[in-house]
Amino acid sequence: MEYSKIYTVKEEHIDVQGIMDGLYYPFYMEYCRHDYIREVLGFDFAEEAAKGIHMVLSQYTIKFLRSLKKDDEFTVTCELFADAAGQPRLHFKQSIILNGKVMTTAVFTGTCVAATGGRPYLPTGMTDKLVDAPKLDVATLK
């Protein structure tokens, strides 16, 4: 299931070249991903942190294909994948799209850890939602 949200480039995110600074692309993807995690997966970061469960990123890759400009209204997509190797990881393929053209693509990988430390894991409610998810091998991005 692909999830999406619409955003508008803010003036303060524009660099001296008149394009959006590369730093902000992952932030817009994070806004969309966090909404997806809360609305679709039912994981509320604040509530879970209060219970001692932290969802964290372990890696991400990003490709910049085209630049966004001030006031561009664009769509950010988010799609969930299970780990092909069976590791306790969530993979999110995301894109930024403007006028039907892909501007940026990324894969974000995350997991959960106890606030007190320990090995990465996914809570039971999360693993239940991964049963039907397609699998992704981050080593090959397939």
Side-chain angles (χ1 to χ4, degrees):
M1 171 188 139
E2 189 174 87
Y3 176 90
S4 65
K5 291 273 186 161
I6 297 171
Y7 301 94
T8 302
V9 175
K10 296 178 181 177
E11 183 172 359
E12 61 266 23
H13 296 167
I14 300 302
D15 67 15
V16 296
Q17 301 173 93
I19 58 176
M20 188 163 81
D21 189 301
L23 170 71
Y24 293 102
Y25 292 77
F27 279 108
Y28 284 106
M29 290 176 163
E30 178 182 52
Y31 304 149
C32 179
R33 190 174 59 257
H34 280 204
D35 285 347
Y36 174 85
I37 290 167
R38 186 181 63 257
E39 294 171 19
V40 178
L41 299 182
F43 185 97
D44 183 284
F45 284 89
E47 289 176 13
E48 298 300 328
K51 295 183 217 172
I53 301 170
H54 294 173
M55 184 179 285
V56 296
L57 285 178
S58 58
Q59 70 181 33
Y60 72 89
T61 58
I62 190 165
K63 292 180 185 174
F64 299 97
L65 306 171
R66 297 173 181 85
S67 298
L68 291 170
K69 297 180 178 143
K70 180 179 172 269
D71 295 328
D72 279 347
E73 186 175 271
F74 59 95
T75 301
V76 179
T77 66
C78 183
E79 189 173 4
L80 175 68
F81 289 80
D83 190 72
Q87 295 297 311
R89 299 184 288 203
L90 302 167
H91 305 289
F92 301 92
K93 276 190 174 182
Q94 294 191 257
S95 295
I96 292 178
I97 301 166
L98 175 67
N99 299 326
K101 292 184 181 178
V102 176
M103 308 300 278
T104 308
T105 62
V107 175
F108 291 83
T109 299
T111 190
C112 292
V113 293
T116 55
R119 300 195 53 78
Y121 73 99
L122 295 176
T124 304
M126 188 79 61
T127 56
D128 294 345
K129 293 187 171 132
L130 285 172
V131 171
D132 295 325
K135 296 186 178 2
L136 181 70
D137 181 350
V138 289
T140 61
L141 289 179
K142 293 182 181 175

